[in-house]
Structures are given as structure tokens and as C-alpha cells.
Amino acid sequence: MKKYLIAGNWKMNKVTAEAAAFAEELKAKNFSNADEVALLVPFTQLTAVGEGLKGSGIGFGAQNVHFEKSGAFTGEISVPMLEEIGVDYCIVGHSERREYFGETDETVNKKLKALILAGITPILCVGESLEVREGKGEQTFVASQLFADFEGIGMADASKVVVAYEPIWAIGTGKTATPDQAEEMCAFIRGVIGGMYDNSVADDMLILYGGSMKASNAADLLAKKDINGGLIGGASLKVDDFSAIVDAAAQLK
Ligand code: PEP
């Protein structure tokens, strides 16, 4: 049976009371596919969300991490700090971090390695800008991100990574990639992973689509063969909007 992951990326939204209420409400939904659902929340909301989701089967995690264990990195959060909270997932290389906070493929690669070592599942974001797509360079661009991001990561460790294809032109813009465009790139990513490792790693890898996914377009995107779920920003901020996407995935089982 096809595996899914429906992951909500709250970005810099919600204070603790809102986060706790959301987690409680989401838990009360009793999703049949709860183990295929996760919330990626601000650092300061991790404890409340982890507590609120306890016993639900729904995973949770952070949106970024530093690759060093400790040291003089003012304002940063380390992998051991996330481990202590018991997170399941951590987003790495989101395009907003690449664009606004100087994230590079080199730092992404170090973060992937640090998270894998700690047993926290990285959700690695890759994807091209509008300019690159208009120049028909999306495959070359995404392949180069994958080569650099997985540099020095062995086969067993690579299989622990979730990849999210997030075309930058579709994030927060309301402009979704068509199901065929999203499928084409997710299939392409699976092919690149197959070439870097082998078909079993590629076949088992969860490859998500992210970019203005919402209740009205989720079923068509999630039905595609190579799309194993979604990384969802705006539509993950309201319980009903997010739950509709979770239900769409459950109905495709
Ligand atoms: C994201 O932040 O990863 C994302 C896909 O955002 P949105 O769903 O709002 O486009």
C-alpha cells in the first residue's frame, strides 16, 4: 500500500495557547492514518504540541536545526536540544531559510547528517525558482541540490530522509503546480535518488509535494503515483483545512 506523510509547516505562526488548542483538536479527530500526519512548529511551541499530541500517533517536529551539538552559535538550536523534547521530524533547507537566512547545500548536508545520527527524520526541501522553471532548468537545478544535499550520506542513511519537492513559485502564492507538473518532478527526484543509491531506496522514499496544497487540490495531487504526501504551509494553520487534507490521503488508501 502507498505510504503518505501529511506534514503541516506552521512557519512563524501561533503562540503557545493557540498551538496547544490546535494539537488537542487535531488529536480529537482520531485519524485512521494518524501515523502519517505531522506538525512542524516553532521551537517555542514544540513542548506544548508534543504534549498535546501525546497518544495520538501524530508526529511533530521543528522547522530548522543547527548542525553543531553545542557552542557559540547565538540564537541557534541543536540536535540534542530537539532530541530532549522527543521530536520525530525536522525540516531542512526550506526555501525560506535558503533565501532569507543563508542556508546553503553545504549546511543542509551537515544538518541532514546530524539529524540522521540522532534518529530524527529530516524533511529535506528542494525546488526551483520561477526564473529557473521559465528557463526549463528545473530538473538540472533540483538534481544539483540533491547531489549536494546527499553528499557523503550512505545508502542506509539516505533511506531515512523524506524529500519535499517545493517549487518556490508555488509556496504561499496560491499558485499550485498542476498534479502533472508535481508528479513529473517527484518522479524525477525518485529517479535521481535511484541513480545515486538504488531502486529500493528510491521506491521506499517518501517524496512530498509542497506549494499551496489545500483541501480543494489535495486529492488530485496525492493520487499521483510518485507523490507520497504534502508539506503544507498556509492550509495547516486551521484544524479543519488541515484535517481535510489528512482525510483526502486516508481516502486514497
Ligand atoms: C511551505 O511552507 O512549505 C508551503 C508549501 O507553504 P504553502 O502551503 O503556504 O504554499
Side-chain angles (χ1 to χ4, degrees):
M1 210 194 303
K2 191 174 164 193
K3 285 186 295 176
Y4 284 102
L5 177 63
I6 305 299
N9 171 18
W10 283 357
K11 311 193 185 196
M12 195 175 69
N13 289 293
K14 297 193 189 294
V15 294
T16 305
E18 295 165 331
F22 187 109
E24 205 178 303
E25 233 186 288
L26 199 67
K27 179 177 174 173
K29 296 275 179 189
N30 278 318
F31 297 118
S32 59
N33 54 342
D35 60 335
E36 297 186 336
V37 181
L39 291 179
L40 292 319
V41 308
F43 291 127
T44 52
Q45 278 25 296
L46 282 169
T47 302
V49 168
E51 281 297 315
L53 293 176
K54 207 168 260 175
S56 68
I58 298 171
F60 76 110
Q63 302 167 6
N64 184 34
V65 73
H66 197 278
F67 49 82
E68 292 290 352
K69 282 200 170 110
S70 63
F73 300 101
T74 302
E76 291 293 312
I77 296 289
S78 70
V79 172
M81 293 171 189
L82 294 184
E83 270 185 293
E84 190 177 37
I85 298 174
V87 307
D88 306 292
Y89 299 95
C90 183
I91 298 176
V92 180
H94 191 281
S95 59
E96 288 154 14
R97 297 227 53 95
R98 294 182 191 254
E99 185 178 352
Y100 307 133
F101 301 101
E103 185 87 272
T104 63
D105 286 319
E106 197 184 341
T107 55
V108 164
N109 175 256
K110 289 181 182 173
K111 291 177 182 191
L112 289 182
K113 288 173 177 165
L115 287 165
I116 291 167
L117 207 59
I120 297 171
T121 302
I123 300 177
L124 163 66
C125 299
V126 296
E128 81 287 354
S129 64
L130 186 59
E131 198 186 353
V132 168
R133 179 157 281 258
E134 284 175 348
K136 302 202 184 319
E138 66 272 17
Q139 294 194 347
T140 309
F141 184 83
V142 167
S144 76
Q145 285 186 317
L146 291 169
F147 291 140
D149 296 346
F150 279 93
E151 171 78 42
I153 296 178
M155 184 126 86
D157 286 342
S159 66
K160 295 172 184 152
V161 178
V162 173
V163 175
Y165 168 60
E166 298 214 309
I168 297 167
W169 47 271
I171 297 178
T173 58
K175 202 171 170 184
T176 320
T178 65
D180 285 343
Q181 283 174 322
E183 166 63 15
E184 186 185 34
M185 284 304 289
C186 289
F188 173 74
I189 288 168
R190 206 177 294 285
V192 172
I193 296 292
M196 287 165 68
Y197 297 99
D198 70 10
N199 284 346
S200 74
V201 175
D203 292 347
D204 290 348
M205 185 166 274
L206 293 183
I207 301 178
L208 317 183
Y209 166 76
S212 301
M213 189 186 276
K214 47 188 178 281
S216 58
N217 59 26
D220 288 343
L221 288 159
L222 297 173
K224 291 291 181 184
K225 177 177 157 289
D226 288 291
I227 301 179
N228 296 105
L231 185 56
I232 299 132
S236 72
L237 294 173
K238 290 196 179 138
V239 173
D240 287 346
D241 294 349
F242 186 58
S243 300
I245 301 174
V246 174
D247 289 339
Q251 275 158 28
L252 288 163
K253 285 285 196 180

PDB file of all heavy atoms in Angstrom, residues 33 173 192:
ATOM      1  N   ASN A  33      -5.346   7.416   9.847  1.00  0.00           N
ATOM      2  CA  ASN A  33      -3.982   7.494   9.314  1.00  0.00           C
ATOM      3  C   ASN A  33      -3.102   8.452  10.132  1.00  0.00           C
ATOM      4  O   ASN A  33      -2.222   9.122   9.592  1.00  0.00           O
ATOM      5  CB  ASN A  33      -4.013   7.938   7.842  1.00  0.00           C
ATOM      6  CG  ASN A  33      -4.780   9.244   7.616  1.00  0.00           C
ATOM      7  OD1 ASN A  33      -5.567   9.656   8.459  1.00  0.00           O
ATOM      8  ND2 ASN A  33      -4.548   9.884   6.485  1.00  0.00           N
ATOM      9  N   THR A 173       1.892  31.357  -2.591  1.00  0.00           N
ATOM     10  CA  THR A 173       1.465  32.245  -3.677  1.00  0.00           C
ATOM     11  C   THR A 173       0.049  31.934  -4.122  1.00  0.00           C
ATOM     12  O   THR A 173      -0.542  32.698  -4.888  1.00  0.00           O
ATOM     13  CB  THR A 173       2.378  32.055  -4.908  1.00  0.00           C
ATOM     14  OG1 THR A 173       2.310  30.665  -5.293  1.00  0.00           O
ATOM     15  CG2 THR A 173       3.810  32.416  -4.597  1.00  0.00           C
ATOM     16  N   VAL A 192      16.446  10.290  -9.663  1.00  0.00           N
ATOM     17  CA  VAL A 192      17.790  10.757  -9.263  1.00  0.00           C
ATOM     18  C   VAL A 192      18.256   9.967  -8.039  1.00  0.00           C
ATOM     19  O   VAL A 192      19.416   9.516  -7.982  1.00  0.00           O
ATOM     20  CB  VAL A 192      17.789  12.286  -8.964  1.00  0.00           C
ATOM     21  CG1 VAL A 192      19.113  12.726  -8.360  1.00  0.00           C
ATOM     22  CG2 VAL A 192      17.492  13.072 -10.229  1.00  0.00           C
TER      23      VAL A 192
END
